[in-house]
Amino acid sequence: MTVPFFPKIEQESSAEIFRYQNDKLQEALSYLNVASPFYKDMFRKHSIDVSKINTLGHLVHIPVTTKVDLQTRNDDFVCVPKNKIIDYITTSGTLGDPVTFAMTDKDLDRLAYNEAISFTCANGSDADVYQLMTTIDRRFMAGLAYFLGIRKLGASVVRVGNGIPELQWDTIQRIKPNAIIAVPSFILKIIEYAEQRGIDYKSSSIQKAVCIGEPLRKHDLTLNTLGRKIQEKWPLKLYSTYASTEMGSSFTECEEGIGGHHHPELIIVEFLDDDNNPVKEGELGEVTVTTLGVEGMPLLRFKTGDVCHHYTNPCHCGRNTIRLGPVVGRKNQMIKYKGTTLFPPALYDILDNIDFISSYIVEVYTNEIGTDEILIHVGSKAPVEDREKDIKDHFRAKLRVAPLITFKPHDEISKIQFPESGRKSLKFIDNREK
Ligand SMILES: [Zn+2]
């Protein structure tokens, strides 16, 4: 039996996938060379003859594209006249202003295809009913992408949107979906809501969750605290997925849960060091992408800022594509601390695991000798000032170093952590001298 939306190329050998991507790269470069004001400029300035860039190995001869480029020259990235644009999306930029993305009809089809093959990777089929617990409007891409992908897959969708645990549970009881698409920390929230109201969530219709926005695993691919907490309470099958607007493609786990699979028809992915050279397997690298088949706003060697490991050994699911480990952090949030390199998510994972901590903020600043200092503002509902050593021991056990700790009332931290205006919770404050 052939599975729809399980691309043949993903089951080919890595050599075959490499050849396939070389051809796709040529197509992408030819298109940029004709249609993209930004890249035409770049090729001219750097005397790049795109016909000579004919394997992935030649990519290193092309400068990378950064978020700053996107922000300062946003319009020059658009390759089509205005009347071909169907959907506008924005993402947050690094300089404050958001970056606008223009999607054509063809781009929306590509997005739908990406999600159809990604859901298939996460064992989805036309028999599934997905409850969508993410925003579909507000200029976001994700919710729309999921809707289009589920439609293409022939599965069913209930668009509840984010938040409102009461409406989530009402929908689960009314429509009986078997799958949810949600941010992992929100799954914990709806579990808590169900427990408080005596809803028997374990016997509900939900069997699996496609998790977005936050990693579920540590870099050794075992579940992190968040993933473990969900699993202990509610034994759902969890699939992690990593994506961004710029990529217009996602890296989704299969049932093996050993990293998100690359879709070679849609994107070229590189893992780069600080000098923009490829890292070896086993080393941390910054995810850098070249989009394939994008018409409105294609990108070439775009540095996402996300740092992760990658794996090339074949997977039992039958896919031979590269897999990405969980994002260990953002490149610009990297902390050099007492001889080790840390990313904030590793600190969150430890703090999430200490039961008497009810809220926290990780602050990093430059100390008097000019190096990074970490100060954790711990909020607690009960008096815990004497637990400082406890907390430090947790850090030493996991990271071999312990940060500074300060205690605050829970409400004070909570107010900073969940600003009323923000779309996202705030856990990290960077006060380092640049
Ligand atoms: Zn797999």
Side-chain angles (χ1 to χ4, degrees), residues 30 43 58 101 155 160 165 205 210 213 275 294-295 349 366 410:
S30 309
F43 297 150
H58 292 161
F101 268 81
V160 182
S205 54
V210 175
D275 302 318
V294 171
E295 190 176 47
D349 194 60
T366 308
H410 167 78

Side-chain angles (χ1 to χ4, degrees), residues 5 35 53 87 134 149 151 201 242 268 288-289 324 355 392-393 404 429 434:
F5 302 108
I53 309 282
D87 196 60
T134 70
R151 180 185 182 202
Y201 58 94
Y242 160 66
I268 291 166
T288 303
V289 296
L324 269 65
D355 52 9
K392 288 195 168 180
D393 284 346
L404 303 173
I429 298 178
K434 293 277 149 44

